[in-house]
Amino acid sequence: LPDALQLPFSGFDAARVPFESDRPVLFVCVRGGRSRAAAEALRAQGWSEVYSAIGGAAALGAGIRQAAE
């Protein structure tokens, strides 16, 4: 993804996100739990266009493989 950043959840701070709040944000982790928590934290800070990949990268990868078959 263009402009993608890798941010470790252990150091994630919703008050200090390194991009503007008017841009859409998609969080992805391995299974979806940490990305959901990060998205909820940004929404609590007033961000509106925040998304979390349901099922994480594992589900995304499965969907990509199924679409390619």
Side-chain angles (χ1 to χ4, degrees):
L1 297 173
D3 301 324
L5 296 174
Q6 182 176 354
L7 302 171
F9 185 72
S10 62
F12 179 73
D13 179 356
R16 298 179 61 191
V17 176
F19 35 85
E20 300 299 319
S21 63
D22 62 343
R23 296 179 63 188
V25 177
L26 169 64
F27 288 100
V28 180
C29 68
V30 174
R31 297 278 180 213
R34 290 170 296 183
S35 62
R36 183 178 56 249
E40 289 173 359
L42 275 192
R43 285 188 201 106
Q45 293 288 326
W47 292 53
S48 58
E49 208 169 346
V50 180
Y51 307 95
S52 173
I54 296 171
L60 287 174
I64 291 168
R65 283 191 299 278
Q66 289 175 357
E69 294 176 349

